[in-house]
Amino acid sequence: MLDLTHTTKEHDESRQGEALLIENNVEKGSSRKLYIESYGCQMNFSDSEIVASILLENGFETTKNYQEADVVFINTCSIRENAEQRVRNRLKEFEFAKKSNPGMIVGVLGCMAERLKSKFLEEEKLVDVVVGPDAYRDLPNLISQVDDGNRSVNVLLSREETYADISPVRLNSNGITAFISIMRGCDNMCSFCVVPFTRGRERSRDAESIVKEAQDLFNAGYREVTLLGQNVDSYKYTAPVAEGELANQPINFANLLALVAAVNPLLRVRFSTSHPKDITDEVLHTMANHENICNYIHLPVQSGNSRVLELMNRTYDRDWYINRIDAINRIIPGCGISTDIITGFCTETEEEHQETLSMMDYVKYDYAFMFAYSERPGTLAAKRYADDIPEEIKKSRLTEVVAKQRAHSFNRLQNFVGKNQRVLIEGFSKRSDKDFAGRNDQNAMAIFPVDGRYQPGDYVTVFIETCTSATLLGKIVG
């Protein structure tokens, strides 16, 4: 179960299953139609933009109607069991559509690809092509193999692939905010997580291409970028040198943040996700020293108990996490902090659950993503520990966590009431084109009446008059 008391752009439940569409200059009727549907984290949505870029270069155009598509891809997530079930149900719908369109190619991309390739291709025969996150360059070749009557698969993981040279098309973009992938894979072997097995080892993209992408986006009118990685704090890149030259100094995440922030003071910079074991005071001071680096950090705690954290192989304990929270509050007063929490992990006692609740009281997160533990096949936890907490206990603990977080989220938003906030207008409110919507520095969503002097992409000062449990409400004052 996932609670979204706030919907952040990194974990937008409203985008799950979204079909991606771009306007392009291909003459209608002259190309094959591509339909891509994405699930999971923002990394998957970012990957779908890379896939679209590769295939548009090979004569495809996108469509939002899978029934008219020549190629249908579903970009998948394996983090939670319910995410996999949603994908399976969707594949059955595609299979039904394929009966009336026998030439349709159906493919699975992303995190479910490697784990379930044999089931999809051989046992259930639901799909024609299965492609892992590091093999998207091979898609034109794989589609050609299917055209020749063969099923095709490429789930090989790479230690080098970062897609640094591919400029992602911006699918369903508001033209104001965009994501930049700075690294791929993960070396953290959290016992509950499948990501190291589905996305491979960690590797960082070269800093020059990241800064160039940020500059290109700013030149195109974008005013906010979010740097994406499974663990952005472990970013490290060293530029190669010619033989005989002195080695370059490695660029760490704090250095990269400063480089992107220097693109233009009007370009807001966010990032996700941080790991408590790696986030450094240097990163925090870099944030404090640059006005356009937003004061918001997503710092997953998972559990407030040190023994459970050790079972999760999180490589930090309760005291370490509190130390990092204290550092954030000391160096960046008022910084927005969000988190991930798992209830009912293997052998978790009621007393240990209470420590998670006390951690929430200590931090008072702006918002959180909260789950009851679900065992994922192939993970270290599945191999080592019994999933021994009854479902009703998992759910009752989750209910307590959700209730506490809702109260904290509301209290955090109330702190903005009666104050001016600098807000980047992202577009119109989902409910009315008479209201603008945008986020403040701490990533809280604000809704305020349209003012003809301003448009999306402008920064405005909004006086916050009141708030709901998830949204700030106010008016432009400058």
Side-chain angles (χ1 to χ4, degrees):
M1 177 179 175
L2 169 63
D3 180 73
L4 290 171
T5 50
H6 275 59
T7 297
T8 74
K9 298 190 297 300
E10 293 84 3
H11 304 261
D12 192 342
E13 182 68 11
S14 67
R15 295 193 69 188
Q16 300 302 300
E18 180 180 85
L20 305 182
L21 180 71
I22 65 164
E23 295 297 326
N24 54 58
N25 297 320
V26 176
E27 184 180 339
K28 297 298 181 184
S30 67
S31 63
R32 300 176 78 177
K33 288 185 169 60
L34 168 68
Y35 175 91
I36 311 179
E37 195 171 281
S38 303
Y39 293 84
C41 68
Q42 189 54 50
M43 290 292 291
N44 271 12
F45 287 86
S46 178
D47 278 0
S48 290
E49 294 178 345
I50 290 172
V51 169
S53 181
I54 291 169
L55 292 183
L56 262 62
E57 288 293 318
N58 283 268
F60 282 80
E61 62 176 306
T62 55
T63 176
K64 270 204 168 184
N65 180 4
Y66 72 85
Q67 293 179 325
E68 70 173 21
D70 300 291
V71 176
V72 174
F73 284 143
I74 186 165
N75 199 344
T76 61
C77 174
S78 281
I79 296 296
R80 302 288 159 199
E81 185 175 4
N82 62 350
E84 288 198 359
Q85 192 54 51
R86 289 166 83 174
V87 168
R88 286 181 170 280
N89 292 340
R90 195 64 170 140
L91 283 172
K92 288 175 183 175
E93 292 181 45
F94 296 155
E95 185 183 32
F96 182 78
K98 191 172 179 177
K99 290 178 180 176
S100 58
N101 182 10
M104 177 189 290
I105 295 173
V106 177
V108 169
L109 311 176
C111 294
M112 286 175 68
E114 195 281 333
R115 200 170 74 74
L116 296 175
K117 60 182 183 294
S118 59
K119 281 185 173 293
F120 286 148
L121 284 171
E122 297 158 19
E123 295 176 32
E124 301 173 11
K125 293 185 169 56
L126 284 174
V127 300
D128 305 295
V129 59
V130 177
V131 188
D134 289 348
Y136 297 143
R137 291 182 195 272
D138 197 28
L139 275 168
N141 171 53
L142 296 171
I143 291 171
S144 293
Q145 291 180 29
V146 177
D147 288 338
D148 291 337
N150 303 305
R151 285 191 165 92
S152 59
V153 58
N154 187 341
V155 293
L156 294 176
L157 294 175
S158 167
R159 286 177 177 264
E160 289 82 34
E161 182 62 84
T162 63
Y163 300 109
D165 60 316
I166 294 176
S167 296
V169 295
R170 302 297 165 178
L171 297 159
N172 295 349
S173 171
N174 59 12
I176 308 301
T177 64
F179 295 87
I180 299 177
S181 177
I182 67 169
M183 57 198 303
R184 299 183 70 83
C186 185
D187 286 348
N188 299 314
M189 299 297 291
C190 300
S191 63
F192 55 80
C193 186
V194 298
V195 167
F197 307 105
T198 60
R199 286 190 168 269
R201 297 297 299 272
E202 194 175 271
R203 62 272 190 200
S204 297
R205 181 178 162 188
D206 71 278
E208 184 179 353
S209 71
I210 295 169
V211 174
K212 182 181 183 302
E213 186 171 341
Q215 183 68 65
D216 290 346
L217 286 166
F218 182 81
N219 294 344
Y222 288 81
R223 290 298 175 263
E224 180 180 292
V225 295
T226 300
L227 308 182
L228 288 180
Q230 301 298 146
N231 177 15
V232 292
D233 300 290
S234 62
Y235 176 90
K236 181 179 285 188
Y237 177 76
T238 303
V241 296
E243 187 176 346
E245 293 183 2
L246 293 175
N248 289 311
Q249 287 293 316
I251 296 174
N252 63 17
F253 184 58
N255 305 146
L256 180 68
L257 267 180
L259 289 170
V260 177
V263 165
N264 194 289
L266 291 178
L267 181 67
R268 259 187 179 176
V269 183
R270 300 187 187 273
F271 57 88
S272 185
T273 296
S274 288
H275 195 293
K277 74 178 175 62
D278 291 318
I279 190 167
T280 64
D281 285 4
E282 183 185 8
V283 167
L284 302 180
H285 283 296
T286 300
M287 294 174 67
N289 291 336
H290 292 80
E291 189 175 340
N292 60 329
I293 301 178
C294 292
N295 293 341
Y296 162 69
I297 297 172
H298 185 66
L299 197 68
V301 65
Q302 306 301 358
S303 171
N305 173 262
S306 293
R307 187 191 73 87
V308 174
L309 288 170
E310 185 175 6
L311 290 179
M312 290 178 168
N313 198 34
R314 291 290 286 171
T315 66
Y316 57 85
D317 60 14
R318 180 184 176 91
D319 288 342
W320 177 274
Y321 188 89
I322 288 174
N323 171 276
R324 293 294 80 206
I325 293 296
D326 290 345
I328 292 169
N329 290 330
R330 181 179 70 255
I331 298 169
I332 317 171
C335 185
I337 305 173
S338 59
T339 199
D340 298 342
I341 295 173
I342 297 173
T343 65
F345 189 72
C346 311
T347 75
E348 181 190 62
T349 67
E350 178 60 28
E351 292 75 17
E352 291 165 341
H353 166 63
Q354 291 298 321
E355 283 205 77
T356 294
L357 296 177
S358 71
M359 179 69 83
M360 295 176 70
D361 285 332
Y362 185 85
V363 181
K364 293 183 172 61
Y365 297 104
D366 291 71
Y367 31 92
F369 303 95
M370 298 157 279
F371 306 86
Y373 173 65
S374 63
E375 184 178 270
R376 310 308 296 130
T379 60
L380 298 177
K383 296 173 183 176
R384 294 177 180 174
Y385 314 126
D387 183 7
D388 58 354
I389 306 300
E391 285 301 313
E392 61 270 20
I393 293 179
K394 289 181 183 179
K395 290 178 180 177
S396 69
R397 291 176 183 173
L398 179 61
T399 299
E400 290 184 65
V401 166
V402 168
K404 185 175 288 290
Q405 183 54 49
R406 281 187 175 142
H408 288 165
S409 292
F410 185 51
N411 289 337
R412 295 284 282 200
L413 286 180
Q414 285 181 313
N415 291 333
F416 297 118
V417 174
K419 299 176 183 176
N420 289 334
Q421 295 293 301
R422 188 171 188 251
V423 174
L424 172 63
I425 303 175
E426 297 180 16
F428 295 98
S429 164
K430 291 181 180 179
R431 295 186 177 181
S432 171
D433 60 6
K434 292 180 171 57
D435 290 323
F436 281 138
R439 297 171 193 268
N440 72 353
D441 203 40
Q442 289 80 8
N443 210 33
M445 177 60 76
I447 304 295
F448 43 96
V450 167
D451 183 322
R453 296 173 296 170
Y454 305 103
Q455 61 185 356
D458 288 339
Y459 291 95
V460 291
T461 300
V462 177
F463 178 74
I464 306 303
E465 299 172 305
T466 186
C467 69
T468 69
S469 60
T471 309
L472 302 173
L473 303 172
K475 63 182 179 182
I476 296 176
V477 293

